[in-house]
Amino acid sequence: MCHHLRKSAMSSTSERVYCFDCQEFVSDDSDTNIQCVKFNSDPKGLRVSLRKLFHRKDMSHHNYQSSYDESIGKWQPTRGKRALLCAVTYNKQKYKLKGTNYDVISMQELLTTRFKFPKSSIRILAEMDAHPHPTKRNIQEALRWLVKDNQPGDSLVFYFSGHGLRQPDFFDDEIDGFDETICPLDFRTAGMIVDNEINDTIVRPLKTGVKLHAIIDACHSGTILDLPCVYSTKNDRKGWLDNRPPSGVYKGTSGGHAISISACEDNQLAADTSAFSETGKQMEGAMTFTFRKAVENTTRVTYASLLASMHNDILAAKRKCFSLRGLFHRERLQEPLLSSSKEFDVNEPFVL
């Protein structure tokens, strides 16, 4: 659905949805599918039309039926290290991503080899036969598992590779006026998962002595956890910036520490690319690759050195002028964004 939509009453049987980008109303009743989807693909305002991308009349709906895998409810929380890895491919759809399954497998390997996560403590949602699919309800239930009965000393990881969008914020929770979202496999029928819900589910319950790292490789993912502190690497204002919501609502933890590393800022697009592949054929998330490279090849990694390494690899790829493909015809490599539930020294070791 369009990034910036608002519904208004049209009749007793139908509604109209206002698209802020298109600046017009489009019908959203049961007989007519939305035909106009647009977004800004760069900060200068270049508009890319995505007509009929999400709401084609001839698109069968069976591909979007929400489902729940009951095995998730039987997952037992593990003590110490625990991780949830989500990869959404959107298979057989026009907006399919080609690198997400590769991303999630490489992240699983990184956690087990570099950070010594027991394989039994890692749960995966992906469009692969061996795993539950990343539908909205499955992701919601899995997020609850991630933080269930968390105890001091626990290290939790949430990784997501897929589409991300934005929608208007009507509760004065966002400085820029927009909520950020992640898109489950069935987001066209079940809806997106909004940053407010993610904050309530995996940030607020964190107890003292518990640390959560979220690694989000998606568009518009900058403040996807709604954390109150954002770290700026820009020379003119380097340091922590206040990201607390204008409404004053509390977005922190219950004593623990939540940290998010996102592929880009809230108003930017991420990249799914073959730019870093040795063969030039393997698609993967640019953020995921540069993150893995930064922590795999260095014995002592700090948050500052992690961001610097990812920054340098992105610049190198830009200089080589690789052709990028992927999410909504994404054409730009962006730098990662660090956010946190509290300010901390970015020169401290990065440990999962």
Side-chain angles (χ1 to χ4, degrees), residues 66-79:
S66 299
S67 63
Y68 172 60
D69 191 314
E70 294 184 357
S71 66
I72 297 175
K74 300 176 183 178
W75 290 356
Q76 294 300 314
T78 56
R79 286 300 314 276

Side-chain angles (χ1 to χ4, degrees), residues 287-299:
M287 182 265 189
T288 300
F289 174 86
T290 56
F291 172 83
R292 288 193 296 108
K293 183 172 180 288
V295 299
E296 284 177 339
N297 301 330
T298 308
T299 55

Side-chain angles (χ1 to χ4, degrees), residues 231 240 257 259 303 338-340 342-346 348:
Y231 189 78
W240 291 103
H257 190 186
I259 298 171
Y303 290 89
L338 175 69
S339 59
S340 174
K342 62 182 179 181
E343 296 184 13
F344 67 96
D345 184 358
V346 295
E348 70 176 53

Side-chain angles (χ1 to χ4, degrees), residues 24-169:
E24 63 184 7
F25 283 94
V26 289
S27 176
D28 186 31
D29 58 26
S30 58
D31 299 319
T32 306
N33 291 313
I34 294 176
Q35 298 294 309
C36 184
V37 183
K38 294 182 180 179
F39 71 101
N40 288 327
S41 63
D42 67 42
K44 294 182 180 180
L46 175 63
R47 292 188 181 275
V48 181
S49 176
L50 298 177
R51 293 181 182 276
K52 301 183 181 180
L53 182 58
F54 291 127
H55 297 269
R56 299 179 55 163
K57 289 184 178 181
D58 60 349
M59 183 71 75
S60 61
H61 289 282
H62 72 274
N63 291 326
Y64 291 91
Q65 291 297 322
S66 299
S67 63
Y68 172 60
D69 191 314
E70 294 184 357
S71 66
I72 297 175
K74 300 176 183 178
W75 290 356
Q76 294 300 314
T78 56
R79 286 300 314 276
K81 295 179 182 291
R82 194 187 314 176
L84 171 64
L85 313 180
C86 296
V88 197
T89 302
Y90 314 94
N91 195 29
K92 298 181 181 179
Q93 304 308 321
K94 197 170 184 177
Y95 43 89
K96 176 181 177 180
L97 292 174
K98 298 180 180 180
T100 55
N101 284 344
Y102 181 85
D103 287 341
V104 82
I105 297 303
S106 64
M107 283 297 297
Q108 180 187 36
E109 182 179 358
L110 178 70
L111 291 179
T112 55
T113 57
R114 176 71 169 83
F115 296 104
K116 308 305 179 185
F117 274 64
K119 197 166 184 178
S120 60
S121 72
I122 301 173
R123 302 295 183 176
I124 295 176
L125 300 182
E127 290 168 75
M128 296 183 279
D129 290 340
H131 306 288
H133 283 187
T135 62
K136 182 176 182 179
R137 187 176 174 191
N138 283 350
I139 294 176
Q140 290 171 321
E141 292 295 329
L143 287 173
R144 283 190 273 272
W145 165 84
L146 182 63
V147 298
K148 183 179 180 181
D149 299 330
N150 64 90
Q151 300 294 327
D154 286 351
S155 175
L156 315 178
V157 172
F158 171 48
Y159 171 78
F160 179 85
S161 180
H163 285 318
L165 293 174
R166 308 174 82 194
Q167 64 183 35
D169 161 46

Side-chain angles (χ1 to χ4, degrees), residues 96-281:
K96 176 181 177 180
L97 292 174
K98 298 180 180 180
T100 55
N101 284 344
Y102 181 85
D103 287 341
V104 82
I105 297 303
S106 64
M107 283 297 297
Q108 180 187 36
E109 182 179 358
L110 178 70
L111 291 179
T112 55
T113 57
R114 176 71 169 83
F115 296 104
K116 308 305 179 185
F117 274 64
K119 197 166 184 178
S120 60
S121 72
I122 301 173
R123 302 295 183 176
I124 295 176
L125 300 182
E127 290 168 75
M128 296 183 279
D129 290 340
H131 306 288
H133 283 187
T135 62
K136 182 176 182 179
R137 187 176 174 191
N138 283 350
I139 294 176
Q140 290 171 321
E141 292 295 329
L143 287 173
R144 283 190 273 272
W145 165 84
L146 182 63
V147 298
K148 183 179 180 181
D149 299 330
N150 64 90
Q151 300 294 327
D154 286 351
S155 175
L156 315 178
V157 172
F158 171 48
Y159 171 78
F160 179 85
S161 180
H163 285 318
L165 293 174
R166 308 174 82 194
Q167 64 183 35
D169 161 46
F170 298 111
F171 300 98
D172 204 25
D173 283 345
E174 301 285 343
I175 294 176
D176 63 359
F178 292 97
D179 284 317
E180 285 64 51
T181 72
I182 57 175
C183 299
L185 173 62
D186 55 348
F187 75 100
R188 279 183 53 186
T189 54
M192 298 175 284
I193 300 178
V194 183
D195 50 9
N196 298 324
E197 178 181 349
I198 297 173
N199 183 278
D200 288 341
T201 304
I202 64 173
V203 175
R204 193 66 174 270
L206 298 177
K207 301 173 185 176
T208 301
V210 178
K211 182 172 284 188
L212 165 75
H213 285 89
I215 303 161
I216 311 298
D217 198 345
C219 289
H220 308 297
S221 56
T223 61
I224 190 63
L225 263 65
D226 261 0
L227 300 177
C229 303
V230 172
Y231 189 78
S232 172
T233 58
K234 298 177 181 178
N235 291 330
D236 59 339
R237 53 173 185 169
K238 197 168 187 176
W240 291 103
L241 305 178
D242 187 356
N243 189 53
R244 289 176 296 180
S247 64
V249 65
Y250 181 68
K251 291 289 186 175
T253 69
S254 295
H257 190 186
I259 298 171
S260 176
I261 302 172
S262 304
C264 58
E265 295 185 13
D266 290 340
N267 62 343
Q268 294 177 329
L269 306 180
D272 198 23
T273 178
S274 60
F276 302 103
S277 170
E278 292 182 0
T279 63
K281 296 180 180 180

